[in-house]
């Protein structure tokens, strides 16, 4: 048999809620560590007096009692574990692990037995249930009954609020009241806070951030009393998990944080942390309300009757001695600001300070958050949503909860990344961050990381400009000239001095300029028979590495592949890049050779000719349409257009002749007799 026995997923009952953890039996002690709170119960082997094995709701459980009156219960063992544990206890602890059955009769009449911190209700010498008296918050008496109220546990879905015991009256000759005696036994071990006697010391009007306000703090031997104008809180030292002393970023203020489990309550609000705020300049002379011998005997040199110094030092020193817990301070982390051991950030729209500690992170102050490294599954550095001058730090726990600390200055990035990396926390985007130096990742948008898609779009646009630029300019010029000559031929005979006849020419020009834009869409069509353009060295490398990136990053999306490839391409050395540049040069030479052969065979000139033909065909259609429109206008009698039969020469341009021409034009559009038509022709001949 080994020196230790370890069991995972062992449950410990705490105020009506089962918390899992890990239990270890060694030759020196019994150690249990809670997975939820990280609290450690250490039971020296020399103090173990009783060990009981029994069947419980979660399988089998062990009940351990110590010589100083403490009782510990752990459940979740299997039936096969009994022999191993029993042999280990006999060999190392000299304690026999006895089996004991629970009573399942369901009777409500029995015997109440007080054994140390437990109240056991037995029927026929078999236990029905046990009540840890430390879970009792109030004990009230009636005529023949005693009511026990319990501390409420926020983690328990269903909580037992109270239990009532009926105590029958005793014989008449006994002077003691059995109800009061029962209640007295409960109060002696219950967690009923009663301010009896004088306080050890008093701190007047300390500033408290959580819960907010100014409170007088009265230090008693067993509990802490916060007395404010509106609320009073009594905090037993047994509920204190940890103590933190944290310097502010300006080095002129201090935060003293007390972690509580269970939390203090104010209506429906729960405060898991008590945060006191001090100024370093505040001094205090403190005198304890005890004799020097009593102080020396009880606190063993940790405190003295008369002390002086900074206010925060006095409070932290007294709390450390009474709670008997170490005070956690920031470690070696140094932020971007000289001397600062914290980072300014925001959490849930509230600004505060994030302290990287040796074993976790703590955020102060609204709401306070404490995250231990052992409960963190991964961290992530994310770009800020509002500006590139900041970033977000995301922490995901093993329970699936996510905490996002936002608006962190980009200058803090390098320090925080190095700290997280040194603590060996899993970083989701490690590959991306390691390729960057300092805060260059969070530079302006022009200095962003390589975007493969954007580079490809730029390259294609450049290719289009180089390949289609000459054809576009020639074709566009040809169209403009032909249209211009057409417009000149239709309006040149009216003379330069006639303003009324210049306007239609301008309108026609505008219309034709609009029509010129339509063929541009067809210019973008590529010659499908031409050789394909060569790929760049980056695209050649990407095609060969795409499958490898997919296999190394399962479930990665298409866009993420491009980003990942850009990051990897940046990290490739010059020698490797020269290899791909050489392949790209070879592909370019092959393309140029193939393109030369293609043009010599006449393949390159066919496409522009077709485009010009199409454009010319369209212009002929336009001419036909415009010619047809002229005929229609002639037949329809449009006054703004003159038939070619009535276009006068430069010599005959008098007003009278113009009027006659207009009348003849109107007559042309109306159904007339043959005589009138002949008359008009005679008149026309006379004009010529």
């Amino acid at each position: 048999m080994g020196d230790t026995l370890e069991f995972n997923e062992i449950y410990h009952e705490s105020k009506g809620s089962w918390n899992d953890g890990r239990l270890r039996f060694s030759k020196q002690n019994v150690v249990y560590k809670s997975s939820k709170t990280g609290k450690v119960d250490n039971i020296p082997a020399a103090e173990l007096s009783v060990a009981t094995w029994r069947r419980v709701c979660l399988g089998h459980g062990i009940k351990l009692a110590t010589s100083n009156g403490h009782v510990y219960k752990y459940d979740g063992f299997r039936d096969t574990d009994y022999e191993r544990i029993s042999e280990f206890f006999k060999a190392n602890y000299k304690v026999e692990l006895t089996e004991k059955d629970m009573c399942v009769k369901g009777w409500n009449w029995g015997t109440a037995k007080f054994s140390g911190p437990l109240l056991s209700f037995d029927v026929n010498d078999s236990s029905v249930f046990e009540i840890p008296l430390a879970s009792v918050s109030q004990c009230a008496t009636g005529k023949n009954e005693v009511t026990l109220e319990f501390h409420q546990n926020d983690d328990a879905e269903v909580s037992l609020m109270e239990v009532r015991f009926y105590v029958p009256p005793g014989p008449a000759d006994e002077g003691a009241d059995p109800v009061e005696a029962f209640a007295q036994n409960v109060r002696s071990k219950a967690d009923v806070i009663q301010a009896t006697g004088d306080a050890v010391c008093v701190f007047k009007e300390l500033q408290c951030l959580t819960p907010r306000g100014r409170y007088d703090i009265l230090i008693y031997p067993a509990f802490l009393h916060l007395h404010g104008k509106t609320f009073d809180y009594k905090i037993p030292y047994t509920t204190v998990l940890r103590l933190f002393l944290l310097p502010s970023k300006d080095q002129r203020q201090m935060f003293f944080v007390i972690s509580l489990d269970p939390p203090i309550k104010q209506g429906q609000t729960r405060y898991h942390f008590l945060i006191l705020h001090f100024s370093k300049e505040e001094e205090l002379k403190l005198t304890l309300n005890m004799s020097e011998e009593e102080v020396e005997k009880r606190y063993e040199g940790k405190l003295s009757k008369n002390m002086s110094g900074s206010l925060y030092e006095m409070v932290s020193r007294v709390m450390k001695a009474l709670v008997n817990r170490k005070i956690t301070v920031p470690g070696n982390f140094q932020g971007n600001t000289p001397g600062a051991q914290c980072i300014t950030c925001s959490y849930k729209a509230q600004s505060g300070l994030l302290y990287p500690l040796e074993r976790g992170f703590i955020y102060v102050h609204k709401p306070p958050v404490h995250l231990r490294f052992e409960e963190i599954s991964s961290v992530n550095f994310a770009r800020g949503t509002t500006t590139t001058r900041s970033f977000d730090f995301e922490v995901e726990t093993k329970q699936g909860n996510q905490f996002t600390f936002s608006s962190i200055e980009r200058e803090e990035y390098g320090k925080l990344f190095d700290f997280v990396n040194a603590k060996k926390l899993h970083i989701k985007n490690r590959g991306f961050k390691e390729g960057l130096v300092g805060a260059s990742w969070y530079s302006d948008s022009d200095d962003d990381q390589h975007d493969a898609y954007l580079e490809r779009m730029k390259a294609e646009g450049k290719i289009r400009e180089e390949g289609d630029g000459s054809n576009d300019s020639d074709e566009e010029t040809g169209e403009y000239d032909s249209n211009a000559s057409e417009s000149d031929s239709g309006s040149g005979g009216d003379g330069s001095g006639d303003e009324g006849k210049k306007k239609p020419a301008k309108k026609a020009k505008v219309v034709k300029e609009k029509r010129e834009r339509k063929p541009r869409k067809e210019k973008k069509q590529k010659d499908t028979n031409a050789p394909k353009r060569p790929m760049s060295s980056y695209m050649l490398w990407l095609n060969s590495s795409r499958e490898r990136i997919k296999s190394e990053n399962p479930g990665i999306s298409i866009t993420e592949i491009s980003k990942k490839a850009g990051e990897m391409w940046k990290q490739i050395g010059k020698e490797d890049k020269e290899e791909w540049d050489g392949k790209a040069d070879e592909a370019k030479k092959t393309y140029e050779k193939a393109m030369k052969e293609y043009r010599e065979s006449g393949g390159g000139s066919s496409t522009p000719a077709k485009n010009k033909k199409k454009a010319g065909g369209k212009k002929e259609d336009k001419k036909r349409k415009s010619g047809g429109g002229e005929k229609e206008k002639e037949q329809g009698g449009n006054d703004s257009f003159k038939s070619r039969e009535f276009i006068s020469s430069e010599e005959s341009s008098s007003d009278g002749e113009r009027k006659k021409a207009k009348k003849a034009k109107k007559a042309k559009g109306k159904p007339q007799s043959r005589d009138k038509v002949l008359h008009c022709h005679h008149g026309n001949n006379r004009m010529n």
Side-chain angles (χ1 to χ4, degrees):
M1 181 177 290
D3 295 338
T4 60
L5 288 178
E6 289 193 10
F7 299 92
N8 295 323
E9 295 186 3
I10 300 300
Y11 294 86
H12 174 62
E13 187 271 334
S14 175
K15 295 182 174 60
S17 177
W18 291 100
N19 299 323
D20 66 321
R22 186 173 59 184
L23 181 66
R24 183 182 66 193
F25 297 110
S26 65
K27 291 183 178 181
Q28 294 80 18
N29 53 15
V30 178
V31 179
Y32 177 81
K33 185 173 183 179
S34 174
S35 299
K36 178 190 173 187
T37 61
K39 186 177 180 181
V40 178
D41 294 333
N42 193 338
I43 309 170
E47 295 182 2
L48 286 176
S49 59
V50 179
T52 306
W53 178 271
R54 52 189 183 175
R55 179 69 182 269
V56 291
C57 60
L58 295 176
H60 292 79
I62 293 179
K63 173 185 171 184
L64 302 176
T66 61
S67 56
N68 54 11
H70 293 290
V71 176
Y72 302 90
K73 294 186 291 183
Y74 305 106
D75 296 348
F77 297 95
R78 291 175 293 182
D79 191 12
T80 55
D81 296 332
Y82 172 73
E83 294 182 2
R84 287 196 301 155
I85 299 174
S86 178
E87 292 177 5
F88 189 88
F89 275 38
K90 287 180 182 179
N92 297 285
Y93 302 152
K94 309 301 180 186
V95 175
E96 185 177 355
L97 184 63
T98 59
E99 291 188 76
K100 188 174 182 180
D101 295 331
M102 303 290 290
C103 179
V104 292
K105 290 184 177 181
W107 291 3
N108 60 347
W109 280 96
T111 305
K113 293 183 179 179
F114 293 91
S115 56
L118 292 178
L119 166 60
S120 176
F121 186 77
D122 299 344
V123 174
N124 295 338
D125 294 331
S126 295
S127 179
V128 179
F129 62 85
E130 293 176 342
I131 297 176
L133 294 178
S135 300
V136 178
S137 61
Q138 292 294 335
C139 179
T141 59
K143 184 177 181 181
N144 291 110
E145 68 178 20
V146 178
T147 303
L148 306 184
E149 297 181 7
F150 302 99
H151 290 291
Q152 185 178 357
N153 192 332
D154 296 333
D155 297 327
E157 296 181 1
V158 180
S159 297
L160 179 64
M161 299 305 298
E162 68 175 34
V163 172
R164 295 185 182 184
F165 293 93
Y166 173 76
V167 183
D173 55 352
E174 294 184 7
D177 185 3
V179 174
E180 191 60 35
F182 188 98
Q184 191 61 36
N185 287 329
V186 173
R187 292 192 186 103
S188 62
K189 297 293 182 181
D191 190 14
V192 179
I193 301 175
Q194 297 176 345
T196 57
D198 296 331
V200 175
C201 60
V202 179
F203 298 99
K204 290 286 188 180
E205 291 191 357
L206 296 184
Q207 184 179 358
C208 193
L209 298 180
T210 304
R212 192 170 185 83
R214 287 194 173 270
Y215 291 86
D216 294 338
I217 297 183
L218 290 76
I219 305 295
Y220 287 89
F223 65 94
L224 178 70
H225 184 195
L226 269 71
H227 176 69
K229 294 181 179 179
T230 309
F231 300 100
D232 272 9
Y233 302 99
K234 294 177 181 178
I235 305 172
Y237 296 141
T238 55
T239 64
V240 176
L241 279 180
R242 294 176 183 84
L243 302 174
F244 302 90
L245 187 61
L246 309 171
S248 182
K249 196 168 186 177
D250 57 6
Q251 302 296 317
R252 293 184 296 177
Q253 303 174 37
M254 299 292 292
F255 300 103
F256 185 65
V257 183
I258 304 173
S259 176
L260 304 174
D261 183 38
I264 57 177
K265 305 166 187 175
Q266 181 178 310
Q268 297 297 322
T269 307
R270 304 288 185 266
Y271 296 104
H272 291 269
F273 293 89
L274 178 66
I275 303 179
L276 302 175
H277 191 206
F278 301 97
S279 173
K280 281 190 173 182
E281 299 175 355
E282 293 182 84
E283 300 287 335
L284 178 68
K285 291 183 179 180
L286 183 65
T287 302
L288 301 183
N289 191 18
M290 301 171 69
S291 63
E292 292 185 2
E293 294 79 8
E294 192 175 0
V295 171
E296 182 65 28
K297 181 180 178 181
R298 181 174 293 185
Y299 302 113
E300 300 176 352
K302 297 178 182 177
L303 299 177
S304 58
K305 182 175 176 62
N306 298 306
M307 296 181 292
S308 62
S310 300
L311 178 58
Y312 73 89
E313 290 180 353
M314 295 295 100
V315 174
S316 59
R317 187 175 174 184
V318 170
M319 287 297 298
K320 180 182 178 182
L322 271 71
V323 177
N324 196 22
R325 293 196 179 276
K326 296 180 181 179
I327 296 179
T328 304
V329 297
N332 299 325
F333 177 81
Q334 292 291 331
N336 186 59
T337 304
Q341 296 178 289
C342 56
I343 296 172
T344 304
C345 62
S346 297
Y347 176 64
K348 291 188 176 180
Q350 295 288 337
S351 180
L353 299 173
L354 179 66
Y355 290 85
L357 309 175
E358 288 300 316
R359 295 185 179 179
F361 296 98
I362 186 169
Y363 173 78
V364 178
H365 75 98
K366 193 174 182 180
V369 177
H370 180 230
L371 299 169
R372 294 175 290 119
F373 289 155
E374 58 191 33
E375 65 178 334
I376 295 175
S377 64
S378 63
V379 298
N380 183 42
F381 293 85
R383 186 182 293 275
T385 54
T386 56
T387 175
T388 58
R389 304 193 68 83
S390 66
F391 67 96
D392 298 347
F393 182 59
E394 300 172 353
V395 180
E396 187 173 349
T397 63
K398 295 177 181 177
Q399 287 77 21
N401 300 322
Q402 186 169 346
F403 300 86
T404 302
F405 303 98
S406 58
S407 302
I408 303 177
E409 295 179 357
R410 64 180 181 181
E411 288 79 7
E412 304 282 3
Y413 166 74
K415 305 273 187 177
L416 184 58
F417 180 79
D418 293 341
F419 174 83
V420 172
N421 197 27
K423 296 300 179 182
K424 298 182 180 179
L425 295 177
H426 174 61
I427 304 174
K428 283 186 176 180
N429 47 0
R430 175 181 295 274
F432 178 43
K433 304 301 177 296
E434 287 181 345
L436 302 170
V437 180
S440 62
W441 174 45
Y442 288 103
S443 56
D444 295 334
S445 59
D446 294 338
D447 300 328
D448 284 344
Q449 68 272 20
H450 180 77
D451 191 338
Y453 180 77
L454 180 60
E455 294 295 332
R456 190 174 66 188
M457 293 298 103
K458 288 181 179 179
E460 290 183 1
K462 189 175 181 181
I463 289 170
R464 288 197 197 97
E465 290 177 3
E466 293 175 354
D468 299 334
S470 59
N471 295 339
D472 293 348
S473 59
D474 295 342
E475 194 171 344
E476 190 174 356
T477 307
E479 272 192 348
Y480 183 80
D481 292 342
S482 62
N483 290 336
S485 61
E486 185 181 343
S487 62
D488 293 342
S489 64
S491 59
D494 293 339
S496 59
D498 194 352
E499 295 179 359
K501 294 181 181 180
K502 285 181 183 178
K503 290 180 182 178
K506 288 183 180 178
K507 287 181 180 177
K509 187 176 181 180
V510 172
V511 171
K512 286 173 183 177
E513 283 179 357
K514 289 182 180 178
R515 288 177 180 173
E516 284 171 7
R517 296 176 187 172
K518 291 181 180 179
R520 282 187 179 179
K521 296 180 181 178
E522 297 181 3
K523 294 171 195 172
K524 295 180 182 179
Q525 294 179 357
K526 294 182 180 179
D527 187 359
T528 55
N529 298 324
K532 292 185 179 180
R533 291 186 176 273
M535 289 187 289
S536 63
S537 56
Y538 169 73
M539 293 304 296
L540 290 171
W541 172 85
L542 177 60
N543 289 340
S544 65
S545 306
R546 193 184 304 275
E547 295 301 325
R548 179 169 60 86
I549 296 172
K550 286 183 181 179
S551 61
E552 292 177 356
N553 302 274
I556 191 170
S557 64
I558 297 174
T559 55
E560 290 174 347
I561 288 175
S562 300
K563 291 183 180 179
K564 187 71 176 177
E567 299 162 11
M568 296 172 65
W569 180 252
K570 279 188 175 182
Q571 297 174 3
I572 292 177
K574 291 183 179 179
E575 296 180 357
D576 296 333
K577 283 188 178 180
E578 287 177 359
E579 177 186 349
W580 293 102
D581 291 340
K583 292 181 180 180
D585 292 339
E586 291 178 4
K588 187 176 180 181
K589 291 177 182 177
T590 306
Y591 166 76
E592 291 175 351
K593 183 179 179 182
M595 196 66 188
K596 184 178 180 181
E597 294 176 355
Y598 179 70
R599 286 174 179 170
E600 289 176 355
S601 63
S605 59
S606 60
T607 305
K610 288 180 181 178
N611 291 338
K612 289 184 179 181
K613 186 176 181 181
K614 288 180 181 178
K618 288 184 179 180
K619 288 165 195 166
E620 289 175 3
D621 292 341
K622 290 177 186 177
K623 289 180 180 179
R624 292 194 196 102
K625 288 180 181 179
S626 62
E630 290 173 1
K631 290 179 181 179
E632 290 175 1
K633 288 175 183 178
E634 289 176 6
Q635 293 175 0
N638 192 349
D639 293 341
S640 63
F641 188 85
K642 290 181 177 292
S643 174
R644 291 183 180 179
E645 295 177 357
F646 295 97
I647 295 177
S648 60
S649 62
E650 294 179 359
E651 296 176 356
S652 58
S653 58
S654 63
D655 293 339
E657 290 176 348
R658 288 177 186 170
K659 289 179 181 179
K660 289 178 181 179
K662 286 183 180 180
K663 288 180 181 180
K665 184 180 176 182
K666 288 180 180 179
K668 188 97 176 173
K670 294 180 181 180
Q672 297 177 354
S673 62
R674 186 172 180 84
D675 296 338
K676 289 184 178 179
V677 173
L678 290 173
H679 177 74
C680 288
H681 278 291
H682 285 297
N684 195 15
N685 292 331
R686 191 168 51 248
M687 286 168 58
N688 292 332

